[in-house]
Amino acid sequence: MAIAALLAGALVPLAALAQGGASRPAARALPGLPSYTAGYASWRRINRAPIPPRRAGDAHLSTKNVYASRRPVGGRYPYGTVIVKEGVRPGSRFVGLIAVMRKVRGASPRNNNWVMIEWVRETRGARFGEIARGQVCYACHVGARANDYVFTR
Ligand code: HEC
């Protein structure tokens, strides 16, 4: 019994090593965010330089970077694409805002099937909490319809 437990304990790290797990641990989502956002910072960044806060009516008041899990094909992002915008709000030095578009077949045919949700947190390391989703997002992003609802290009 004790030997079996010891062996099992030894085998798990070996299996992780065999998969290259020791050097590349699986990415984890930031606290409070869904697993489909895990590892977003290693995806392709689609903005050239950090996007500064807009002077008037910034819906995502912060300095932002935008990452996409997939590339568009023929001007449309494929199903399964996740686009994450992270924002560092003025006066702070941590990511306090995460806005996400995820393309799910059949989710919202009138809005190119994007599921749109935004989360914020007030301190570094805190859990993110959802602040808005859906219609309020579509209403503005429809302005980028020519680029599949994505403003950043
Ligand atoms: C009043 C307009 C407006 C509203 C409302 C809005 N956005 Fe945006 N969003 C923008 C603009 C403009 C950008 C481009 C980058 C920037 O300047 O912030 C953007 C960028 C994004 C991006 C990065 C991809 C892209 O389009 O560039 C995501 C993801 C996003 N918004 C999600 C959301 C979600 C989720 C909501 C609703 C909770 C939302 N947005 C509501 C204007 C808006």
Side-chain angles (χ1 to χ4, degrees), residues 2-72:
I3 290 175
L6 271 174
L7 274 176
L11 284 174
V12 170
L14 274 180
L17 267 176
Q19 295 164 7
S23 52
R24 295 210 318 164
R28 279 229 205 132
L30 293 172
L33 296 182
S35 57
Y36 57 75
T37 61
Y40 74 81
S42 66
W43 302 345
R44 189 171 61 99
R45 198 182 80 181
I46 61 176
N47 55 306
R48 261 177 230 107
I51 305 167
R54 287 167 184 267
R55 247 177 261 157
D58 191 330
H60 314 276
L61 185 63
S62 57
T63 301
K64 309 140 222 168
N65 283 308
V66 181
Y67 302 88
S69 69
R70 311 270 300 266
R71 288 174 186 270

Side-chain angles (χ1 to χ4, degrees), residues 40-135:
Y40 74 81
S42 66
W43 302 345
R44 189 171 61 99
R45 198 182 80 181
I46 61 176
N47 55 306
R48 261 177 230 107
I51 305 167
R54 287 167 184 267
R55 247 177 261 157
D58 191 330
H60 314 276
L61 185 63
S62 57
T63 301
K64 309 140 222 168
N65 283 308
V66 181
Y67 302 88
S69 69
R70 311 270 300 266
R71 288 174 186 270
V73 180
R76 285 279 178 279
Y77 284 90
Y79 289 117
T81 299
V82 179
I83 300 181
V84 172
K85 173 158 89 166
E86 62 165 29
V88 174
R89 281 174 295 183
S92 81
R93 299 184 68 182
F94 60 92
V95 174
L97 179 153
I98 294 281
V100 173
M101 308 172 63
R102 181 165 71 117
K103 195 173 269 200
V104 179
R105 195 183 293 272
S108 180
R110 283 188 308 151
N111 300 289
N112 293 14
N113 286 314
W114 287 113
V115 176
M116 300 189 64
I117 313 177
E118 185 165 327
W119 294 264
V120 293
R121 63 178 174 185
E122 300 310 321
T123 56
R124 184 195 301 275
R127 284 180 75 77
F128 280 89
E130 181 179 325
I131 52 158
R133 66 160 71 203
Q135 193 51 47

Side-chain angles (χ1 to χ4, degrees), residues 54 59-60 64 85 99 101 117 136-137 140-141 150-152:
R54 287 167 184 267
H60 314 276
K64 309 140 222 168
K85 173 158 89 166
M101 308 172 63
I117 313 177
V136 63
C137 319
C140 188
H141 276 254
V150 178
F151 283 105
T152 308

